[in-house]
Amino acid sequence: MIETVYHILNAPGIAVLADLHGRPFEHVAELLRARRPEIICIPGDFVSGLWPGENRSPLDTQENVLPFLSACAVIAPSFLSLGNHEQYLDGADLKRIRSTGVTVLDNRWIARGGLVIGGLTSASVTAYRRFRAQAGQASSGVRYPRMQRRPPTLPDTAWLAAFGATPGYHILLCHHPEYFPHIPESIELVLSGHAHGGQWRVYNPIKRQWIGVFAPGQGLWPRWTKGVYEGRLVVSAGLSNTVSVPRFFNPTEIVCIEGGIE
Ligand SMILES: [Fe+2]
């Protein structure tokens, strides 16, 4: 794992922890304890999206998740949003997550100390909730292995205008970088993951930069995989690998943001 530091004007000190996917976290916690960020932001995919089994919670089948979140909350005020891998978490799971001390931003925002921090929930999560509700099983605790048919989905962005109009410095946890065109410009900082750096990174001699090869939701030669885009979208290459294909020239990373100087 590498530590990547970006300087962004007016931003607070933030550690961005994306795509840990329920993996061991001690190396991450150790770095956080040394760095002491002002806040910790977890923009989704802190669990693995594998089907946990009927009536079982991912929080019970993945033993690292709650201890990871508890460790974060001890180090600094911590906030998370829901990525596509969080689709099997239900209301009871979110309550258990909140009990760690981490603030869950599920299509909502909070204002605190001059910061306005929001979390845009993955469309995969909202589509799955809709599926369960339509199946009449929303309160039974039954989880479905997968949706029968996956319609094209968009996140619920209706609340973003009011979020962006709330006075303060706006930070949006938004797991999917491909949602960026839907984010109002009044939001100063957008934190994403999901693209895993494009899985393989290759050097483009024309652009004179390293670029990712593939990302879910963006396809081949994705646009947003790692780095800072338009001065306000920060994309983490993520903290783990979830597919059988190895990462090439693409180490896992913890992203740290520091305020820039005017
Ligand atoms: Fe993801």
Side-chain angles (χ1 to χ4, degrees):
M1 180 182 77
I2 61 168
E3 179 185 6
T4 307
V5 179
Y6 299 123
H7 292 267
I8 295 183
L9 189 65
N10 297 327
I14 309 173
V16 183
L17 312 179
D19 301 290
L20 187 59
H21 291 286
R23 300 295 163 83
F25 62 91
E26 253 321 309
H27 59 304
V28 178
E30 203 173 299
L31 193 148
L32 292 172
R33 286 185 202 107
R35 177 166 269 280
R36 294 225 148 270
E38 287 172 61
I39 60 171
I40 295 171
C41 292
I42 304 165
D45 282 11
F46 49 93
V47 305
S48 161
L50 293 175
W51 170 239
E54 198 160 295
N55 285 324
R56 298 197 72 192
S57 164
L59 300 179
D60 293 326
T61 58
Q62 299 174 48
E63 61 191 15
N64 291 319
V65 175
L66 292 176
F68 162 64
L69 297 174
S70 297
C72 290
V74 166
I75 294 165
S78 300
F79 306 86
L80 66 77
S81 67
L82 304 177
N84 54 309
H85 278 248
E86 274 77 59
Q87 68 175 6
Y88 292 129
L89 298 179
D90 62 15
D93 294 324
L94 296 183
K95 195 173 172 188
R96 291 172 70 189
I97 287 171
R98 282 194 295 273
S99 74
T100 65
V102 172
T103 300
V104 176
L105 298 170
D106 181 7
N107 278 338
R108 73 182 186 99
W109 78 89
I110 62 158
R112 184 179 294 178
L115 301 177
V116 190
I117 309 174
L120 181 60
T121 300
S122 169
S124 298
V125 172
T126 46
Y128 188 68
R129 285 174 179 165
R130 203 177 308 123
F131 172 80
R132 287 183 62 193
Q134 284 168 357
Q137 301 285 352
S139 61
S140 72
V142 174
R143 291 175 164 91
Y144 292 85
R146 58 177 59 86
M147 284 182 284
Q148 305 299 315
R149 188 168 61 86
R150 288 176 187 267
T153 52
L154 285 172
D156 173 11
T157 55
W159 59 278
L160 291 179
F163 163 63
T166 303
Y169 182 89
H170 304 85
I171 302 169
L172 180 67
L173 282 61
C174 171
H175 180 66
H176 300 257
E178 66 270 26
Y179 294 168
F180 186 55
H182 303 282
I183 310 297
E185 288 186 8
S186 58
I187 295 167
E188 288 90 344
L189 186 60
V190 183
L191 306 175
S192 293
H194 187 58
H196 291 227
Q199 199 65 22
W200 296 354
R201 294 188 72 79
V202 296
Y203 187 72
N204 182 324
I206 298 166
K207 289 186 173 180
R208 294 186 182 179
Q209 63 187 27
W210 289 83
I211 57 173
V213 172
F214 178 84
Q218 298 185 65
L220 270 177
W221 309 117
R223 183 169 170 190
W224 304 284
T225 55
K226 177 181 179 171
V228 182
Y229 301 84
E230 298 181 32
R232 67 187 189 108
L233 169 65
V234 174
V235 183
S236 164
L239 285 161
S240 71
N241 191 26
T242 52
V243 293
S244 52
V245 181
R247 299 166 66 119
F248 285 135
F249 300 108
N250 180 27
T252 58
E253 70 171 354
I254 184 168
V255 169
C256 295
I257 295 173
E258 296 176 356
I261 300 166
E262 208 155 352

